[in-house]
């Protein structure tokens, strides 16, 4: 399964200093990393985007109801901040993070989607009919 999320940095609200919000969304490790970061707002939205991407892949893979509990998803980033992992319910999702001046884009994929083999190509008429 594939999961992705994009954060439009032009419309995000300042949340990095809001302790109530941080407590509802991030575990202790994530909160400390955000508060100690040179750019807490960017790290907050990076973690959020990673959690969303993993949630979408996890929900689709296991056909779960659409209920996100962000505290069930635990994020870690490598030193470059372009690659991370999200753990939930014993499953680890590897996340690629892309940064631009206007957005953060996180993607993950689970091998399940790539293990399918299609024996016949799908024609355009099959799609539109």
């Amino acid at each position: 399964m594939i999961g992705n999320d994009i954060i439009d940095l032009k419309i995000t609200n300042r949340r990095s200093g809001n302790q109530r919000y941080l407590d509802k969304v991030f575990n202790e490790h994530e909160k400390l990393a955000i508060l100690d970061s040179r750019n807490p707002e960017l790290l907050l939205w990076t973690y959020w985007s990673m959690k969303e991407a993993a949630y979408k892949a996890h929900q689709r893979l296991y056909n779960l109801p659409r209920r996100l509990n962000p505290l069930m998803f635990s994020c870690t980033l490598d030193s470059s901040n372009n690659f991370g992992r999200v753990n939930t319910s014993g499953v680890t999702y590897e996340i690629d993070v892309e940064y631009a001046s206007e957005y953060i884009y996180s993607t993950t994929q689970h091998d399940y989607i790539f293990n399918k083999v299609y024996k016949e190509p799908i024609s355009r008429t099959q799609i539109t009919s």
Side-chain angles (χ1 to χ4, degrees), residues 29 43 46-47 50 75-86 95-97 99:
H29 169 77
L43 186 55
T46 299
Y47 281 161
M50 291 170 61
C75 299
T76 57
L77 275 169
D78 72 351
S79 59
S80 72
N81 290 344
N82 292 321
F83 176 79
R85 288 184 174 82
V86 176
I95 310 285
D96 290 311
V97 182
Y99 296 93

Side-chain angles (χ1 to χ4, degrees), residues 28 32 43 53 62 70 76 92 95 120:
E28 291 304 315
L32 286 173
L43 186 55
Y62 294 102
T76 57
T92 300
I95 310 285
E120 299 176 19

